[in-house]
Amino acid sequence: MIRAYVNFALIKYWGKLDEDLRLPYQSSLSFTVDNLYTDTEITILNDAKKDIVIINGVENPKESMRVINYLNRLRKELNVSSYVKVISTNNVPMAAGLASSASSFASIATAFVKAFKFDLSQEEISRLARLGSGSASRSIYGGFVVWEKGTDKTSVAKKIDVKWDEFRIIVCLLDKNEKKISSTFAMEKSVKNKELYNKFVVASEKDYNNMLIVLKNKDINAVGTIAEENSERMHEIIEASGIKYKNEESNYLINLVKKMRSDKIIAYFTMDAGPNVKIITVESEVKKILSYLSNVETIVCKQGFDAKEVKH
Ligand code: DP6
């Protein structure tokens, strides 16, 4: 069984230059965590005429569709023909903006490669994961990871050499329900807003380059500031296209994070394609931050691991 961990983007991937190859307009940077993950077991079905896909214990044709399309893609890429049985289980609420597609497709890609006994590098597996879901390219590695824009061959994720044991992300779980608008769809709409989108890409590249510098210095205030601004810019362009992921509770939490800062606590926020807020901080602040969040369900995340084999 392969376990791949969720990653949260500090510099977001938001928009595809090539939809089929899932090539991004901008390089992104993320943190793969230790306690949110997907486990996937893939076995080859000899003589079968279709795949069997069980997600979180159920065989649901609608949910399986994207996975089956992806399996077809993997078969084509790796030149194999057998159908497979996929059993994939998330310990994360599905599609709640907790980036579960990242850990899902990273674990499926890795488990598929293993089932057919291919000897591929992590970068090659990252490319395959990217074809399933862009952000999945980054979940091949634990810790701080970049996914570089580029061509089909070069646009893969790589681990960056930053060891920062004190870094934390606190997930505030506001809504565990299925999100209504997929990031794939929302991104397409953002890209169509050409003028604003071009500005977003330029700002994003600047953020990415600055983030690489401040991360190396482990400057939490600079890391948090850049990540927060980058996330806000993404939500601005999303909202300009008529989609809104933030709800009242998200806004309440955003203001609470700002209040923490005015109380001299190191706390910054980032959000993805859902209402949940993630707080960026370091270990010494966690207790103080949690004292503000007594009525919110939280998950404190540390640095996680590469996608890897685990025993049942
Ligand atoms: C907001 O990777 O889910 O989480 O490639 O269409 O599957 P697809 O998109 P996906 O987008 C994630 C967007 C994000 C930001 C990020 O993780 O970088």
mmCIF file of all heavy atoms in Angstrom, residues 162-182:
data_model
loop_
_atom_site.group_PDB
_atom_site.id
_atom_site.type_symbol
_atom_site.label_atom_id
_atom_site.label_comp_id
_atom_site.label_asym_id
_atom_site.label_seq_id
_atom_site.Cartn_x
_atom_site.Cartn_y
_atom_site.Cartn_z
ATOM 1 N N VAL A 162 15.566 22.675 2.558
ATOM 2 C CA VAL A 162 15.301 23.521 3.726
ATOM 3 C C VAL A 162 14.862 22.597 4.848
ATOM 4 O O VAL A 162 13.872 21.881 4.707
ATOM 5 C CB VAL A 162 14.174 24.544 3.445
ATOM 6 C CG1 VAL A 162 13.806 25.303 4.705
ATOM 7 C CG2 VAL A 162 14.575 25.507 2.348
ATOM 8 N N LYS A 163 15.621 22.581 5.912
ATOM 9 C CA LYS A 163 15.229 21.760 7.056
ATOM 10 C C LYS A 163 14.754 22.702 8.141
ATOM 11 O O LYS A 163 15.528 23.481 8.679
ATOM 12 C CB LYS A 163 16.432 20.926 7.520
ATOM 13 C CG LYS A 163 15.973 19.675 8.225
ATOM 14 C CD LYS A 163 17.069 18.671 8.426
ATOM 15 C CE LYS A 163 16.849 17.793 9.647
ATOM 16 N NZ LYS A 163 15.526 17.715 10.210
ATOM 17 N N TRP A 164 13.466 22.663 8.411
ATOM 18 C CA TRP A 164 12.883 23.646 9.330
ATOM 19 C C TRP A 164 11.868 22.908 10.201
ATOM 20 O O TRP A 164 10.680 22.891 9.926
ATOM 21 C CB TRP A 164 12.231 24.763 8.510
ATOM 22 C CG TRP A 164 11.829 25.967 9.283
ATOM 23 C CD1 TRP A 164 11.966 26.187 10.624
ATOM 24 C CD2 TRP A 164 11.217 27.152 8.747
ATOM 25 N NE1 TRP A 164 11.480 27.429 10.950
ATOM 26 C CE2 TRP A 164 11.020 28.044 9.818
ATOM 27 C CE3 TRP A 164 10.830 27.545 7.464
ATOM 28 C CZ2 TRP A 164 10.437 29.302 9.641
ATOM 29 C CZ3 TRP A 164 10.255 28.790 7.297
ATOM 30 C CH2 TRP A 164 10.060 29.662 8.373
ATOM 31 N N ASP A 165 12.358 22.279 11.250
ATOM 32 C CA ASP A 165 11.517 21.405 12.078
ATOM 33 C C ASP A 165 10.415 22.153 12.811
ATOM 34 O O ASP A 165 9.416 21.566 13.203
ATOM 35 C CB ASP A 165 12.385 20.673 13.121
ATOM 36 C CG ASP A 165 13.298 19.666 12.459
ATOM 37 O OD1 ASP A 165 12.970 19.249 11.326
ATOM 38 O OD2 ASP A 165 14.337 19.317 13.055
ATOM 39 N N GLU A 166 10.624 23.456 13.038
ATOM 40 C CA GLU A 166 9.643 24.227 13.835
ATOM 41 C C GLU A 166 8.460 24.722 13.005
ATOM 42 O O GLU A 166 7.481 25.212 13.562
ATOM 43 C CB GLU A 166 10.324 25.453 14.489
ATOM 44 C CG GLU A 166 11.445 25.125 15.465
ATOM 45 C CD GLU A 166 12.750 24.789 14.749
ATOM 46 O OE1 GLU A 166 12.909 25.152 13.565
ATOM 47 O OE2 GLU A 166 13.612 24.136 15.378
ATOM 48 N N PHE A 167 8.551 24.624 11.695
ATOM 49 C CA PHE A 167 7.482 25.165 10.832
ATOM 50 C C PHE A 167 6.193 24.361 11.018
ATOM 51 O O PHE A 167 6.215 23.143 11.097
ATOM 52 C CB PHE A 167 7.942 25.087 9.368
ATOM 53 C CG PHE A 167 7.025 25.795 8.412
ATOM 54 C CD1 PHE A 167 7.123 27.159 8.218
ATOM 55 C CD2 PHE A 167 6.057 25.097 7.701
ATOM 56 C CE1 PHE A 167 6.276 27.827 7.331
ATOM 57 C CE2 PHE A 167 5.198 25.748 6.819
ATOM 58 C CZ PHE A 167 5.320 27.115 6.634
ATOM 59 N N ARG A 168 5.066 25.074 11.108
ATOM 60 C CA ARG A 168 3.761 24.405 11.300
ATOM 61 C C ARG A 168 2.691 25.012 10.409
ATOM 62 O O ARG A 168 2.706 26.224 10.148
ATOM 63 C CB ARG A 168 3.268 24.573 12.751
ATOM 64 C CG ARG A 168 4.148 23.954 13.831
ATOM 65 C CD ARG A 168 4.049 22.421 13.847
ATOM 66 N NE ARG A 168 4.918 21.874 14.865
ATOM 67 C CZ ARG A 168 6.210 21.572 14.699
ATOM 68 N NH1 ARG A 168 6.788 21.762 13.520
ATOM 69 N NH2 ARG A 168 6.924 21.076 15.682
ATOM 70 N N ILE A 169 1.742 24.151 10.038
ATOM 71 C CA ILE A 169 0.509 24.642 9.410
ATOM 72 C C ILE A 169 -0.647 24.127 10.266
ATOM 73 O O ILE A 169 -0.742 22.913 10.545
ATOM 74 C CB ILE A 169 0.389 24.179 7.949
ATOM 75 C CG1 ILE A 169 1.389 24.968 7.092
ATOM 76 C CG2 ILE A 169 -1.044 24.397 7.425
ATOM 77 C CD1 ILE A 169 1.312 24.757 5.613
ATOM 78 N N ILE A 170 -1.487 25.038 10.707
ATOM 79 C CA ILE A 170 -2.664 24.630 11.496
ATOM 80 C C ILE A 170 -3.881 24.732 10.586
ATOM 81 O O ILE A 170 -4.232 25.813 10.111
ATOM 82 C CB ILE A 170 -2.857 25.529 12.737
ATOM 83 C CG1 ILE A 170 -1.585 25.515 13.603
ATOM 84 C CG2 ILE A 170 -4.073 25.072 13.540
ATOM 85 C CD1 ILE A 170 -1.644 26.467 14.795
ATOM 86 N N VAL A 171 -4.492 23.582 10.313
ATOM 87 C CA VAL A 171 -5.680 23.569 9.457
ATOM 88 C C VAL A 171 -6.891 23.831 10.331
ATOM 89 O O VAL A 171 -7.085 23.157 11.349
ATOM 90 C CB VAL A 171 -5.829 22.188 8.768
ATOM 91 C CG1 VAL A 171 -7.079 22.167 7.894
ATOM 92 C CG2 VAL A 171 -4.596 21.859 7.951
ATOM 93 N N CYS A 172 -7.692 24.810 9.951
ATOM 94 C CA CYS A 172 -8.946 25.084 10.658
ATOM 95 C C CYS A 172 -10.064 24.506 9.806
ATOM 96 O O CYS A 172 -10.319 24.980 8.694
ATOM 97 C CB CYS A 172 -9.145 26.588 10.810
ATOM 98 S SG CYS A 172 -7.790 27.377 11.691
ATOM 99 N N LEU A 173 -10.680 23.462 10.307
ATOM 100 C CA LEU A 173 -11.701 22.754 9.522
ATOM 101 C C LEU A 173 -13.049 23.425 9.706
ATOM 102 O O LEU A 173 -13.705 23.232 10.727
ATOM 103 C CB LEU A 173 -11.795 21.317 10.006
ATOM 104 C CG LEU A 173 -10.843 20.325 9.386
ATOM 105 C CD1 LEU A 173 -11.039 18.966 10.017
ATOM 106 C CD2 LEU A 173 -11.072 20.233 7.885
ATOM 107 N N LEU A 174 -13.449 24.180 8.720
ATOM 108 C CA LEU A 174 -14.713 24.899 8.833
ATOM 109 C C LEU A 174 -15.823 24.137 8.151
ATOM 110 O O LEU A 174 -16.972 24.217 8.515
ATOM 111 C CB LEU A 174 -14.585 26.282 8.200
ATOM 112 C CG LEU A 174 -13.517 27.174 8.811
ATOM 113 C CD1 LEU A 174 -13.445 28.489 8.082
ATOM 114 C CD2 LEU A 174 -13.814 27.405 10.282
ATOM 115 N N ASP A 175 -15.468 23.422 7.098
ATOM 116 C CA ASP A 175 -16.499 22.801 6.276
ATOM 117 C C ASP A 175 -15.938 21.518 5.686
ATOM 118 O O ASP A 175 -15.016 21.561 4.883
ATOM 119 C CB ASP A 175 -16.865 23.787 5.157
ATOM 120 C CG ASP A 175 -18.066 23.318 4.370
ATOM 121 O OD1 ASP A 175 -18.465 22.137 4.545
ATOM 122 O OD2 ASP A 175 -18.601 24.123 3.594
ATOM 123 N N LYS A 176 -16.513 20.384 6.092
ATOM 124 C CA LYS A 176 -15.994 19.112 5.591
ATOM 125 C C LYS A 176 -16.815 18.606 4.409
ATOM 126 O O LYS A 176 -16.609 17.519 3.919
ATOM 127 C CB LYS A 176 -15.986 18.070 6.714
ATOM 128 C CG LYS A 176 -14.823 18.272 7.661
ATOM 129 C CD LYS A 176 -14.814 17.236 8.755
ATOM 130 C CE LYS A 176 -15.432 17.812 10.005
ATOM 131 N NZ LYS A 176 -15.530 16.875 11.108
ATOM 132 N N ASN A 177 -17.776 19.394 3.988
ATOM 133 C CA ASN A 177 -18.650 18.927 2.914
ATOM 134 C C ASN A 177 -17.981 19.082 1.560
ATOM 135 O O ASN A 177 -17.050 19.851 1.398
ATOM 136 C CB ASN A 177 -19.961 19.712 2.923
ATOM 137 C CG ASN A 177 -20.706 19.438 4.205
ATOM 138 O OD1 ASN A 177 -20.694 18.307 4.700
ATOM 139 N ND2 ASN A 177 -21.299 20.466 4.776
ATOM 140 N N GLU A 178 -18.526 18.365 0.623
ATOM 141 C CA GLU A 178 -18.053 18.417 -0.761
ATOM 142 C C GLU A 178 -18.112 19.857 -1.261
ATOM 143 O O GLU A 178 -19.123 20.521 -1.129
ATOM 144 C CB GLU A 178 -19.005 17.549 -1.601
ATOM 145 C CG GLU A 178 -18.629 17.409 -3.022
ATOM 146 C CD GLU A 178 -17.917 16.083 -3.278
ATOM 147 O OE1 GLU A 178 -17.765 15.278 -2.338
ATOM 148 O OE2 GLU A 178 -17.522 15.878 -4.416
ATOM 149 N N LYS A 179 -17.024 20.327 -1.829
ATOM 150 C CA LYS A 179 -17.099 21.702 -2.345
ATOM 151 C C LYS A 179 -17.865 21.696 -3.668
ATOM 152 O O LYS A 179 -17.888 20.708 -4.386
ATOM 153 C CB LYS A 179 -15.710 22.283 -2.499
ATOM 154 C CG LYS A 179 -14.913 21.710 -3.630
ATOM 155 C CD LYS A 179 -13.582 22.394 -3.752
ATOM 156 C CE LYS A 179 -12.730 21.706 -4.798
ATOM 157 N NZ LYS A 179 -11.440 21.297 -4.325
ATOM 158 N N LYS A 180 -18.483 22.792 -3.958
ATOM 159 C CA LYS A 180 -19.390 22.811 -5.111
ATOM 160 C C LYS A 180 -18.665 23.060 -6.426
ATOM 161 O O LYS A 180 -19.032 22.536 -7.450
ATOM 162 C CB LYS A 180 -20.488 23.840 -4.881
ATOM 163 C CG LYS A 180 -21.462 23.357 -3.821
ATOM 164 C CD LYS A 180 -22.528 24.383 -3.489
ATOM 165 C CE LYS A 180 -23.259 24.025 -2.224
ATOM 166 N NZ LYS A 180 -22.425 24.187 -1.005
ATOM 167 N N ILE A 181 -17.625 23.845 -6.393
ATOM 168 C CA ILE A 181 -16.960 24.207 -7.652
ATOM 169 C C ILE A 181 -15.527 23.673 -7.623
ATOM 170 O O ILE A 181 -14.744 24.037 -6.756
ATOM 171 C CB ILE A 181 -16.951 25.727 -7.848
ATOM 172 C CG1 ILE A 181 -18.407 26.232 -7.823
ATOM 173 C CG2 ILE A 181 -16.266 26.115 -9.142
ATOM 174 C CD1 ILE A 181 -18.530 27.697 -7.523
ATOM 175 N N SER A 182 -15.196 22.815 -8.585
ATOM 176 C CA SER A 182 -13.868 22.197 -8.576
ATOM 177 C C SER A 182 -12.808 23.232 -8.919
ATOM 178 O O SER A 182 -13.078 24.223 -9.610
ATOM 179 C CB SER A 182 -13.809 21.069 -9.607
ATOM 180 O OG SER A 182 -13.742 21.615 -10.907
#
